[in-house]
Coordinates of all heavy atoms in Angstrom, one line a residue:
M7 N 12.5 -9.0 -4.8 CA 12.0 -8.3 -3.7 C 10.8 -8.9 -3.2 O 10.6 -9.0 -1.9 CB 11.8 -6.8 -4.1 CG 11.5 -5.9 -2.9 SD 11.6 -4.2 -3.2 CE 10.0 -3.7 -3.3
L8 N 9.9 -9.4 -4.0 CA 8.7 -10.0 -3.6 C 8.9 -11.3 -2.8 O 8.2 -11.5 -1.8 CB 7.8 -10.3 -4.8 CG 7.0 -9.2 -5.4 CD1 6.3 -9.6 -6.7 CD2 6.0 -8.6 -4.5
K9 N 9.9 -12.0 -3.1 CA 10.3 -13.2 -2.4 C 10.7 -12.9 -1.0 O 10.3 -13.5 0.0 CB 11.4 -14.0 -3.1 CG 11.0 -14.6 -4.4 CD 12.2 -15.4 -5.0 CE 11.8 -15.9 -6.4 NZ 12.9 -16.6 -7.0
I10 N 11.5 -11.9 -0.8 CA 11.9 -11.4 0.5 C 10.7 -11.0 1.3 O 10.6 -11.4 2.5 CB 13.0 -10.3 0.4 CG1 14.3 -10.8 -0.2 CG2 13.3 -9.7 1.8 CD1 15.3 -9.8 -0.5
L11 N 9.9 -10.2 0.7 CA 8.7 -9.7 1.5 C 7.8 -10.8 1.9 O 7.2 -10.8 2.9 CB 8.0 -8.6 0.6 CG 8.8 -7.3 0.3 CD1 8.0 -6.4 -0.5 CD2 9.3 -6.7 1.6
K12 N 7.6 -11.7 1.0 CA 6.7 -12.8 1.3 C 7.2 -13.7 2.4 O 6.4 -14.0 3.3 CB 6.6 -13.7 0.0 CG 5.6 -14.8 0.2 CD 5.4 -15.6 -1.1 CE 4.4 -16.7 -1.0 NZ 4.3 -17.5 -2.2
V13 N 8.5 -13.9 2.5 CA 9.0 -14.7 3.6 C 9.0 -13.9 4.9 O 8.6 -14.4 6.0 CB 10.5 -15.1 3.3 CG1 11.2 -15.7 4.5 CG2 10.5 -16.1 2.1
V14 N 9.4 -12.6 4.9 CA 9.4 -11.8 6.1 C 8.1 -11.6 6.7 O 7.9 -11.6 7.9 CB 10.2 -10.5 5.8 CG1 10.0 -9.5 7.0 CG2 11.6 -10.7 5.4
F15 N 7.1 -11.3 5.8 CA 5.8 -11.0 6.3 C 4.8 -12.2 6.3 O 3.6 -12.0 6.2 CB 5.2 -9.8 5.5 CG 6.0 -8.5 5.7 CD1 6.6 -7.9 4.6 CD2 6.1 -7.9 6.9 CE1 7.3 -6.8 4.7 CE2 6.8 -6.8 7.1 CZ 7.4 -6.2 6.0
K16 N 5.3 -13.3 6.4 CA 4.5 -14.5 6.5 C 3.7 -14.5 7.8 O 2.5 -14.9 7.8 CB 5.4 -15.8 6.5 CG 4.6 -17.1 6.2 CD 5.5 -18.2 6.2 CE 5.9 -18.5 4.7 NZ 6.6 -19.7 4.5
N17 N 4.3 -14.0 8.9 CA 3.6 -14.0 10.1 C 3.5 -12.5 10.5 O 4.5 -11.9 10.9 CB 4.4 -14.7 11.2 CG 3.7 -14.8 12.5 OD1 2.5 -14.4 12.6 ND2 4.3 -15.2 13.5
T18 N 2.3 -11.9 10.4 CA 2.1 -10.5 10.7 C 1.4 -10.2 12.0 O 0.7 -9.2 12.1 CB 1.4 -9.8 9.5 OG1 0.2 -10.5 9.3 CG2 2.2 -9.9 8.2
K19 N 1.5 -11.1 12.9 CA 0.7 -10.9 14.1 C 1.1 -9.7 14.9 O 0.3 -9.1 15.6 CB 0.8 -12.2 15.0 CG 0.1 -13.4 14.5 CD 0.3 -14.5 15.4 CE -0.4 -15.8 14.8 NZ -0.3 -16.9 15.6
Q20 N 2.4 -9.3 14.8 CA 2.8 -8.2 15.6 C 2.6 -6.8 14.9 O 3.0 -5.8 15.5 CB 4.3 -8.3 16.0 CG 5.2 -8.5 14.9 CD 6.6 -8.8 15.3 OE1 7.2 -8.0 16.1 NE2 7.2 -9.9 14.9
L21 N 2.0 -6.8 13.7 CA 1.8 -5.6 13.0 C 0.4 -5.1 13.2 O -0.5 -5.8 13.4 CB 2.1 -5.8 11.5 CG 3.5 -6.3 11.1 CD1 3.6 -6.6 9.6 CD2 4.5 -5.3 11.5
T22 N 0.3 -3.8 13.0 CA -1.1 -3.2 13.1 C -1.8 -3.3 11.8 O -1.2 -3.7 10.8 CB -1.0 -1.7 13.5 OG1 -0.3 -1.0 12.4 CG2 -0.2 -1.4 14.8
E23 N -3.1 -3.0 11.8 CA -3.9 -3.1 10.5 C -3.3 -2.2 9.5 O -3.3 -2.5 8.3 CB -5.3 -2.8 10.8 CG -6.0 -3.9 11.5 CD -7.5 -3.6 11.8 OE1 -8.1 -2.7 11.1 OE2 -8.1 -4.2 12.7
E24 N -3.0 -1.0 9.9 CA -2.4 0.0 8.9 C -1.1 -0.5 8.3 O -0.9 -0.3 7.1 CB -2.2 1.4 9.6 CG -3.5 2.1 10.0 CD -3.2 3.3 10.9 OE1 -2.0 3.5 11.3 OE2 -4.1 4.1 11.1
Q25 N -0.3 -1.1 9.1 CA 1.0 -1.6 8.6 C 0.7 -2.8 7.6 O 1.4 -2.9 6.6 CB 1.9 -2.1 9.7 CG 2.4 -0.9 10.6 CD 3.1 -1.4 11.8 OE1 2.8 -2.5 12.4 NE2 4.0 -0.6 12.3
E26 N -0.3 -3.6 7.9 CA -0.6 -4.7 7.0 C -1.2 -4.2 5.7 O -0.9 -4.7 4.6 CB -1.6 -5.6 7.7 CG -1.0 -6.5 8.8 CD -2.0 -7.3 9.5 OE1 -3.2 -7.4 9.0 OE2 -1.7 -7.9 10.5
E27 N -2.0 -3.1 5.8 CA -2.5 -2.5 4.6 C -1.4 -1.9 3.7 O -1.4 -2.0 2.5 CB -3.5 -1.4 4.9 CG -4.8 -1.9 5.4 CD -5.8 -0.8 5.9 OE1 -5.5 0.4 5.6 OE2 -6.8 -1.1 6.6
Y28 N -0.4 -1.3 4.4 CA 0.7 -0.7 3.6 C 1.5 -1.8 2.9 O 1.9 -1.6 1.8 CB 1.6 0.1 4.6 CG 2.8 0.7 3.9 CD1 2.6 1.9 3.2 CD2 4.0 0.1 3.8 CE1 3.6 2.5 2.5 CE2 5.1 0.7 3.2 CZ 4.9 1.9 2.5 OH 5.9 2.4 1.8
I29 N 1.7 -2.9 3.6 CA 2.4 -4.1 3.0 C 1.7 -4.6 1.8 O 2.2 -4.9 0.8 CB 2.7 -5.2 4.1 CG1 3.7 -4.6 5.1 CG2 3.2 -6.4 3.4 CD1 3.7 -5.5 6.4
A30 N 0.4 -4.8 2.0 CA -0.5 -5.3 0.9 C -0.4 -4.3 -0.3 O -0.3 -4.7 -1.5 CB -1.9 -5.5 1.3
K31 N -0.5 -3.0 0.0 CA -0.4 -2.0 -1.1 C 1.0 -2.0 -1.8 O 1.0 -2.0 -3.0 CB -0.6 -0.6 -0.5 CG -0.9 0.5 -1.5 CD -1.2 1.8 -0.7 CE -1.6 2.8 -1.7 NZ -2.0 4.1 -1.0
N32 N 2.0 -2.2 -1.0 CA 3.4 -2.3 -1.6 C 3.5 -3.5 -2.4 O 4.1 -3.5 -3.5 CB 4.4 -2.3 -0.4 CG 5.8 -2.1 -0.9 OD1 6.1 -2.5 -2.0 ND2 6.6 -1.5 -0.1
N33 N 3.0 -4.7 -2.0 CA 3.1 -5.9 -2.7 C 2.3 -5.8 -4.0 O 2.8 -6.2 -5.1 CB 2.6 -7.1 -1.9 CG 3.6 -7.5 -0.8 OD1 4.7 -7.2 -0.9 ND2 3.1 -8.3 0.1
H34 N 1.1 -5.2 -4.0 CA 0.3 -5.1 -5.2 C 1.0 -4.2 -6.2 O 1.0 -4.5 -7.4 CB -1.0 -4.5 -4.8 CG -2.0 -4.3 -5.9 ND1 -2.5 -5.4 -6.6 CD2 -2.4 -3.2 -6.5 CE1 -3.3 -4.9 -7.6 NE2 -3.3 -3.6 -7.5
T35 N 1.6 -3.1 -5.7 CA 2.3 -2.1 -6.6 C 3.5 -2.8 -7.2 O 3.8 -2.6 -8.4 CB 2.7 -0.9 -5.8 OG1 1.6 -0.3 -5.2 CG2 3.4 0.1 -6.7
T36 N 4.2 -3.6 -6.4 CA 5.4 -4.3 -7.0 C 5.0 -5.3 -8.0 O 5.7 -5.5 -9.0 CB 6.2 -4.9 -5.8 OG1 6.5 -3.9 -4.8 CG2 7.5 -5.5 -6.3
R37 N 4.0 -6.1 -7.7 CA 3.5 -7.1 -8.7 C 3.1 -6.5 -10.0 O 3.3 -7.1 -11.1 CB 2.4 -7.9 -8.1 CG 2.8 -9.0 -7.1 CD 1.7 -9.9 -6.8 NE 2.0 -10.6 -5.6 CZ 1.4 -10.5 -4.4 NH1 0.4 -9.6 -4.3 NH2 1.8 -11.2 -3.4
R38 N 2.4 -5.4 -9.9 CA 1.9 -4.7 -11.2 C 3.1 -4.1 -12.0 O 2.9 -3.8 -13.1 CB 1.0 -3.6 -10.8 CG -0.4 -4.0 -10.6 CD -1.3 -2.8 -10.5 NE -0.6 -1.6 -10.0 CZ -1.2 -0.6 -9.4 NH1 -2.5 -0.6 -9.3 NH2 -0.5 0.4 -8.9
G39 N 4.2 -3.9 -11.3 CA 5.3 -3.3 -12.0 C 5.3 -1.8 -11.9 O 5.9 -1.1 -12.7
S40 N 4.5 -1.2 -11.0 CA 4.3 0.2 -10.9 C 5.4 0.9 -10.1 O 5.4 2.1 -10.1 CB 2.9 0.5 -10.3 OG 1.9 0.0 -11.1
L41 N 6.1 0.1 -9.4 CA 7.2 0.6 -8.6 C 8.4 0.9 -9.5 O 8.8 0.1 -10.2 CB 7.6 -0.4 -7.5 CG 8.3 0.1 -6.2 CD1 7.4 1.1 -5.5 CD2 8.6 -1.0 -5.3
P42 N 8.9 2.2 -9.5 CA 10.0 2.5 -10.4 C 11.2 1.6 -10.1 O 11.5 1.2 -9.0 CB 10.3 4.0 -10.0 CG 9.0 4.5 -9.4 CD 8.4 3.3 -8.7
K43 N 12.0 1.4 -11.1 CA 13.2 0.5 -11.0 C 14.2 1.1 -10.0 O 14.8 0.3 -9.2 CB 13.9 0.3 -12.4 CG 13.1 -0.5 -13.3 CD 13.9 -0.8 -14.6 CE 13.1 -1.7 -15.5 NZ 13.8 -1.9 -16.7
Q44 N 14.4 2.4 -10.0 CA 15.3 3.0 -9.1 C 14.9 2.8 -7.7 O 15.7 2.5 -6.8 CB 15.5 4.5 -9.4 CG 16.6 5.2 -8.6 CD 18.0 4.6 -8.9 OE1 18.3 4.1 -10.0 NE2 18.9 4.6 -7.9
T45 N 13.6 3.0 -7.4 CA 13.1 2.8 -6.1 C 13.3 1.3 -5.6 O 13.7 1.1 -4.5 CB 11.6 3.1 -6.0 OG1 11.4 4.5 -6.4 CG2 11.1 3.0 -4.6
T46 N 13.0 0.4 -6.5 CA 13.2 -1.0 -6.2 C 14.7 -1.3 -5.9 O 15.0 -2.0 -5.0 CB 12.7 -1.9 -7.4 OG1 11.4 -1.6 -7.7 CG2 12.8 -3.4 -7.0
K47 N 15.6 -0.7 -6.7 CA 17.0 -0.9 -6.6 C 17.5 -0.4 -5.2 O 18.2 -1.1 -4.5 CB 17.7 -0.2 -7.7 CG 19.2 -0.4 -7.7 CD 19.9 0.3 -8.8 CE 21.4 0.3 -8.8 NZ 22.0 1.0 -9.9
V48 N 17.1 0.8 -4.8 CA 17.5 1.4 -3.6 C 16.9 0.6 -2.4 O 17.6 0.3 -1.4 CB 17.0 2.9 -3.5 CG1 17.2 3.5 -2.1 CG2 17.7 3.7 -4.5
T49 N 15.6 0.1 -2.5 CA 15.0 -0.6 -1.5 C 15.7 -2.0 -1.3 O 16.0 -2.4 -0.2 CB 13.5 -0.9 -1.8 OG1 12.9 0.4 -2.0 CG2 12.8 -1.6 -0.7
M50 N 16.1 -2.6 -2.4 CA 16.8 -3.9 -2.3 C 18.2 -3.7 -1.7 O 18.6 -4.5 -0.9 CB 17.0 -4.5 -3.7 CG 15.7 -5.2 -4.2 SD 15.2 -6.5 -3.1 CE 16.5 -7.7 -3.1
Q51 N 18.9 -2.6 -2.0 CA 20.2 -2.3 -1.4 C 20.0 -2.1 0.1 O 20.8 -2.7 0.9 CB 20.8 -1.1 -2.0 CG 21.3 -1.3 -3.4 CD 21.8 0.0 -4.0 OE1 21.6 1.1 -3.5 NE2 22.5 -0.2 -5.2
A52 N 19.0 -1.4 0.6 CA 18.7 -1.2 2.0 C 18.4 -2.5 2.7 O 18.8 -2.8 3.8 CB 17.6 -0.2 2.2
L53 N 17.6 -3.4 2.0 CA 17.2 -4.7 2.6 C 18.4 -5.6 2.7 O 18.6 -6.3 3.7 CB 16.1 -5.3 1.8 CG 14.7 -4.7 1.9 CD1 13.8 -5.4 0.9 CD2 14.2 -4.9 3.3
N54 N 19.3 -5.6 1.7 CA 20.5 -6.4 1.8 C 21.5 -5.9 2.8 O 22.2 -6.7 3.3 CB 21.2 -6.4 0.4 CG 20.4 -7.3 -0.6 OD1 19.7 -8.2 -0.2 ND2 20.5 -6.9 -1.9
S55 N 21.5 -4.7 3.1 CA 22.4 -4.1 4.1 C 22.0 -4.5 5.6 O 22.8 -4.5 6.5 CB 22.5 -2.6 4.0 OG 21.3 -2.0 4.4
C56 N 20.7 -4.8 5.8 CA 20.3 -5.2 7.1 C 20.0 -6.7 7.2 O 19.0 -7.1 7.7 CB 19.0 -4.4 7.5 SG 17.6 -4.7 6.5
K57 N 21.0 -7.5 6.8 CA 20.8 -9.0 6.7 C 20.5 -9.6 8.1 O 19.7 -10.4 8.2 CB 22.0 -9.6 6.1 CG 22.2 -9.4 4.7 CD 23.4 -10.1 4.1 CE 23.4 -9.8 2.6 NZ 24.5 -10.6 2.0
S58 N 21.2 -9.1 9.1 CA 21.0 -9.7 10.5 C 19.6 -9.4 11.1 O 19.1 -10.1 11.9 CB 22.1 -9.2 11.4 OG 22.0 -7.8 11.6
E59 N 19.0 -8.3 10.6 CA 17.7 -7.9 11.2 C 16.6 -8.2 10.2 O 15.5 -7.8 10.4 CB 17.7 -6.4 11.5 CG 18.7 -6.0 12.5 CD 18.8 -4.5 12.7 OE1 18.3 -3.8 11.8 OE2 19.4 -4.1 13.7
M60 N 16.9 -9.0 9.2 CA 15.9 -9.4 8.2 C 14.7 -10.2 8.7 O 13.6 -10.2 8.2 CB 16.6 -10.1 7.0 CG 15.7 -10.3 5.8 SD 15.4 -8.9 4.9 CE 16.9 -8.8 4.0
I61 N 14.9 -10.9 9.9 CA 13.9 -11.7 10.4 C 12.8 -10.9 11.2 O 11.8 -11.3 11.5 CB 14.4 -12.8 11.3 CG1 15.3 -12.3 12.4 CG2 15.2 -13.8 10.5 CD1 15.7 -13.3 13.4
N62 N 13.2 -9.6 11.5 CA 12.3 -8.8 12.2 C 11.4 -8.0 11.2 O 11.9 -7.1 10.5 CB 13.1 -7.8 13.1 CG 12.2 -6.9 14.0 OD1 11.0 -7.0 13.9 ND2 12.8 -6.2 14.9
P63 N 10.1 -8.3 11.2 CA 9.2 -7.6 10.2 C 9.2 -6.1 10.4 O 9.0 -5.4 9.5 CB 7.9 -8.3 10.4 CG 8.1 -9.4 11.3 CD 9.4 -9.3 11.9
L64 N 9.3 -5.7 11.6 CA 9.2 -4.2 11.9 C 10.4 -3.5 11.3 O 10.3 -2.4 10.8 CB 9.1 -3.9 13.4 CG 7.9 -4.5 14.1 CD1 7.9 -4.3 15.6 CD2 6.6 -3.8 13.5
K65 N 11.6 -4.1 11.3 CA 12.8 -3.5 10.7 C 12.6 -3.4 9.2 O 12.9 -2.4 8.6 CB 14.0 -4.2 11.1 CG 14.4 -4.2 12.5 CD 14.9 -2.9 12.9 CE 15.3 -2.9 14.4 NZ 15.8 -1.6 14.9
V66 N 12.1 -4.5 8.6 CA 11.9 -4.5 7.2 C 10.9 -3.5 6.7 O 11.0 -2.8 5.7 CB 11.6 -6.0 6.7 CG1 11.2 -6.0 5.2 CG2 12.7 -6.9 7.0
L67 N 9.8 -3.4 7.5 CA 8.8 -2.5 7.3 C 9.3 -1.0 7.3 O 8.9 -0.2 6.5 CB 7.6 -2.6 8.2 CG 6.4 -1.7 8.0 CD1 5.7 -2.0 6.7 CD2 5.4 -1.8 9.2
A68 N 10.2 -0.8 8.3 CA 10.8 0.6 8.4 C 11.6 0.9 7.1 O 11.5 2.0 6.7 CB 11.7 0.6 9.6
V69 N 12.3 -0.1 6.6 CA 13.1 0.1 5.4 C 12.1 0.4 4.2 O 12.4 1.3 3.4 CB 14.0 -1.1 5.1 CG1 14.6 -1.0 3.7 CG2 15.1 -1.2 6.1
L70 N 11.0 -0.3 4.1 CA 10.1 -0.1 3.0 C 9.4 1.2 3.1 O 9.3 1.9 2.1 CB 9.0 -1.2 3.1 CG 9.3 -2.6 2.7 CD1 8.1 -3.5 2.9 CD2 9.7 -2.6 1.2
I71 N 9.1 1.6 4.3 CA 8.4 2.9 4.5 C 9.4 4.1 4.1 O 9.0 5.1 3.5 CB 7.8 3.1 5.9 CG1 6.6 2.2 6.0 CG2 7.4 4.5 6.2 CD1 6.1 2.1 7.4
E72 N 10.6 3.9 4.6 CA 11.6 4.9 4.3 C 11.9 5.1 2.8 O 12.0 6.2 2.3 CB 12.9 4.5 5.0 CG 14.1 5.5 4.8 CD 15.3 5.1 5.6 OE1 15.2 4.6 6.7 OE2 16.4 5.3 5.0
D73 N 11.9 4.0 2.1 CA 12.2 4.1 0.6 C 11.0 4.3 -0.3 O 11.1 4.8 -1.4 CB 13.0 2.8 0.2 CG 14.4 2.8 0.8 OD1 14.9 3.8 1.1 OD2 14.9 1.6 0.9
T74 N 9.8 4.0 0.2 CA 8.6 4.1 -0.6 C 7.6 5.0 0.2 O 6.4 4.6 0.2 CB 8.0 2.8 -1.0 OG1 7.7 2.0 0.2 CG2 9.0 2.0 -1.8
V75 N 8.0 6.1 0.7 CA 7.1 6.9 1.5 C 6.0 7.5 0.7 O 4.9 7.6 1.2 CB 8.0 8.0 2.2 CG1 7.7 9.4 1.7 CG2 7.8 8.0 3.7
W76 N 6.2 7.7 -0.6 CA 5.2 8.3 -1.4 C 4.1 7.3 -1.6 O 2.9 7.7 -1.9 CB 5.8 8.6 -2.8 CG 6.5 7.5 -3.5 CD1 7.8 7.1 -3.3 CD2 5.9 6.5 -4.3 NE1 8.0 6.0 -4.1 CE2 6.9 5.6 -4.7 CE3 4.6 6.3 -4.8 CZ2 6.7 4.5 -5.5 CZ3 4.4 5.3 -5.7 CH2 5.4 4.4 -6.0
L77 N 4.3 6.0 -1.4 CA 3.3 5.0 -1.6 C 2.2 5.1 -0.4 O 1.1 4.7 -0.6 CB 3.9 3.6 -1.6 CG 3.0 2.4 -2.0 CD1 2.5 2.6 -3.4 CD2 3.8 1.1 -1.9
A78 N 2.7 5.5 0.7 CA 1.8 5.6 1.9 C 0.8 6.8 1.7 O -0.3 6.8 2.3 CB 2.5 5.8 3.1
G79 N 1.1 7.8 0.9 CA 0.2 8.9 0.7 C -1.0 8.5 -0.1 O -1.0 7.5 -0.8
S80 N -2.0 9.3 -0.1 CA -3.2 9.0 -0.8 C -3.1 9.7 -2.2 O -2.4 10.6 -2.4 CB -4.4 9.5 0.0 OG -4.3 10.9 0.1
H81 N -3.9 9.1 -3.0 CA -4.0 9.6 -4.4 C -5.4 10.2 -4.6 O -6.4 9.8 -4.0 CB -3.8 8.5 -5.4 CG -3.6 8.9 -6.8 ND1 -4.7 9.1 -7.6 CD2 -2.5 9.3 -7.5 CE1 -4.3 9.5 -8.8 NE2 -3.0 9.7 -8.7
Y82 N -5.5 11.3 -5.4 CA -6.8 11.9 -5.6 C -7.9 11.0 -6.0 O -9.0 11.0 -5.5 CB -6.6 13.0 -6.7 CG -8.0 13.6 -7.0 CD1 -8.6 14.5 -6.2 CD2 -8.6 13.3 -8.2 CE1 -9.8 15.1 -6.5 CE2 -9.8 13.9 -8.5 CZ -10.4 14.7 -7.7 OH -11.6 15.3 -8.0
A83 N -7.6 10.0 -6.9 CA -8.6 9.1 -7.4 C -9.1 8.2 -6.3 O -10.2 7.8 -6.3 CB -8.0 8.3 -8.6
S84 N -8.2 7.8 -5.4 CA -8.6 6.9 -4.3 C -9.4 7.7 -3.2 O -10.1 7.1 -2.5 CB -7.4 6.2 -3.7 OG -6.6 7.1 -3.1
D85 N -9.3 9.0 -3.1 CA -10.0 9.8 -2.1 C -11.2 10.5 -2.7 O -11.8 11.3 -2.0 CB -9.0 10.8 -1.5 CG -8.0 10.1 -0.6 OD1 -8.2 9.0 -0.2 OD2 -6.9 10.8 -0.3
N86 N -11.5 10.3 -3.9 CA -12.6 10.9 -4.5 C -13.9 10.5 -3.8 O -14.3 9.4 -3.8 CB -12.7 10.6 -6.0 CG -13.7 11.4 -6.7 OD1 -14.5 12.2 -6.1 ND2 -13.7 11.3 -8.0
P87 N -14.6 11.5 -3.2 CA -15.8 11.1 -2.5 C -16.9 10.5 -3.3 O -17.8 9.8 -2.8 CB -16.3 12.4 -1.8 CG -15.7 13.5 -2.6 CD -14.4 12.9 -3.2
Q88 N -16.9 10.7 -4.6 CA -17.9 10.2 -5.5 C -17.7 8.7 -5.8 O -18.6 8.0 -6.1 CB -18.0 10.9 -6.8 CG -18.5 12.3 -6.6 CD -18.6 13.1 -7.9 OE1 -18.1 12.6 -8.9 NE2 -19.2 14.3 -7.9
S89 N -16.4 8.2 -5.6 CA -16.1 6.9 -5.9 C -16.2 5.9 -4.8 O -16.2 4.7 -4.9 CB -14.7 6.8 -6.5 OG -13.8 7.1 -5.5
A90 N -16.3 6.5 -3.6 CA -16.4 5.6 -2.4 C -17.4 6.2 -1.4 O -17.7 7.4 -1.4 CB -15.1 5.5 -1.7
G91 N -17.9 5.4 -0.6 CA -18.9 5.9 0.4 C -20.3 5.7 0.0 O -20.7 5.1 -1.0
K92 N -21.2 6.2 0.9 CA -22.6 6.1 0.7 C -23.1 7.0 -0.4 O -22.7 8.2 -0.5 CB -23.3 6.4 2.0 CG -24.8 6.3 2.0 CD -25.3 6.6 3.4 CE -26.8 6.5 3.4 NZ -27.4 6.8 4.7
R93 N -23.9 6.5 -1.3 CA -24.4 7.3 -2.3 C -25.9 7.6 -2.1 O -26.6 6.8 -1.5 CB -24.3 6.6 -3.7 CG -22.9 6.5 -4.1 CD -22.8 5.9 -5.5 NE -21.4 6.0 -6.0 CZ -21.1 5.7 -7.2 NH1 -22.0 5.4 -8.1 NH2 -19.8 5.7 -7.5
E94 N -26.3 8.8 -2.5 CA -27.7 9.1 -2.3 C -28.3 9.5 -3.7 O -27.7 10.3 -4.4 CB -27.8 10.4 -1.4 CG -29.2 10.8 -1.1 CD -29.2 11.9 -0.1 OE1 -28.3 11.9 0.8 OE2 -30.1 12.8 -0.2
V95 N -29.4 8.9 -4.0 CA -30.1 9.2 -5.3 C -31.3 10.1 -5.0 O -32.1 9.7 -4.2 CB -30.5 7.9 -6.0 CG1 -31.2 8.2 -7.3 CG2 -29.2 7.1 -6.3
I96 N -31.4 11.2 -5.7 CA -32.6 12.1 -5.5 C -33.5 11.9 -6.8 O -33.0 12.2 -7.9 CB -32.1 13.5 -5.4 CG1 -31.2 13.6 -4.1 CG2 -33.3 14.5 -5.3 CD1 -30.6 15.0 -4.0
L97 N -34.7 11.5 -6.5 CA -35.6 11.3 -7.6 C -36.6 12.5 -7.5 O -37.1 12.8 -6.4 CB -36.4 10.0 -7.4 CG -35.5 8.8 -7.4 CD1 -36.4 7.5 -7.2 CD2 -34.8 8.6 -8.7
S98 N -36.9 13.1 -8.6 CA -37.9 14.2 -8.6 C -38.8 14.0 -9.8 O -38.5 13.4 -10.8 CB -37.2 15.5 -8.7 OG -36.4 15.6 -9.9
L99 N -40.0 14.6 -9.6 CA -41.0 14.5 -10.7 C -41.7 15.9 -10.8 O -42.1 16.5 -9.8 CB -42.0 13.4 -10.3 CG -43.2 13.2 -11.3 CD1 -42.7 12.7 -12.6 CD2 -44.1 12.2 -10.7
Y100 N -41.8 16.4 -12.0 CA -42.4 17.6 -12.2 C -43.8 17.4 -12.9 O -43.8 16.8 -14.0 CB -41.6 18.6 -13.0 CG -42.2 19.9 -13.4 CD1 -42.3 20.9 -12.4 CD2 -42.7 20.1 -14.6 CE1 -42.9 22.1 -12.7 CE2 -43.3 21.3 -14.9 CZ -43.4 22.3 -14.0 OH -44.0 23.5 -14.2
L101 N -44.8 17.8 -12.3 CA -46.2 17.6 -12.9 C -46.7 19.0 -13.4 O -46.7 20.0 -12.6 CB -47.1 17.1 -11.8 CG -46.8 15.7 -11.3 CD1 -47.8 15.3 -10.2 CD2 -46.8 14.6 -12.4
A102 N -47.0 19.0 -14.6 CA -47.6 20.2 -15.2 C -49.1 20.3 -14.8 O -49.8 19.3 -14.8 CB -47.4 20.2 -16.7
G103 N -49.5 21.5 -14.5 CA -50.9 21.7 -14.1 C -51.8 21.6 -15.3 O -51.4 21.9 -16.5
E104 N -53.0 21.2 -15.1 CA -54.0 21.0 -16.2 C -54.7 22.3 -16.4 O -55.2 23.1 -15.8 CB -54.9 19.9 -15.9 CG -54.2 18.6 -16.0 CD -55.1 17.4 -15.7 OE1 -56.3 17.5 -16.0 OE2 -54.6 16.4 -15.2

């Protein structure tokens, strides 16, 4: 599956930034082996069925999104406000009276 995606998405000029991020996330998940075997199997069957449209990155992206829709969703750990964004440190000092 990675070979197919690498060839199809070699030229991503017609894709939006969000679509490119989704593809990168999908590739990363697939390389790590985090994509379930059944999902990979179903996705490969769908990709093999659209052989004539395989050169169109938008069609391949539609197949990926359809089969791995859960990947587009956010995860609690990635949306945790403490792990991302601007941090503020509050320093305080208590002085005891003499």
Side-chain angles (χ1 to χ4, degrees):
M7 188 163 107
L8 284 173
K9 290 179 183 180
I10 293 172
L11 298 179
K12 186 176 180 180
V13 170
V14 171
F15 295 118
K16 192 177 268 190
N17 185 9
T18 59
K19 290 181 182 178
Q20 57 183 307
L21 301 176
T22 64
E23 287 181 20
E24 291 174 349
Q25 291 170 333
E26 289 177 8
E27 288 175 12
Y28 181 81
I29 293 165
K31 191 174 187 181
N32 192 327
N33 285 342
H34 181 68
T35 305
T36 305
R37 279 194 198 110
R38 277 191 327 205
S40 300
L41 203 60
K43 287 184 181 182
Q44 186 63 29
T45 304
T46 306
K47 183 179 176 182
V48 170
T49 305
M50 281 302 298
Q51 288 174 347
L53 287 173
N54 288 332
S55 68
C56 66
K57 288 183 181 184
S58 62
E59 298 174 344
M60 189 73 78
I61 57 172
N62 186 353
L64 295 174
K65 295 286 183 179
V66 175
L67 182 64
V69 169
L70 285 177
I71 289 174
E72 183 178 318
D73 291 333
T74 59
V75 112
W76 57 271
L77 190 60
S80 62
H81 190 270
Y82 173 73
S84 64
D85 288 341
N86 189 353
Q88 293 179 352
S89 65
K92 185 177 176 182
R93 291 188 175 190
E94 184 176 325
V95 177
I96 300 172
L97 301 174
S98 62
L99 178 65
Y100 178 75
L101 298 175
E104 291 182 28

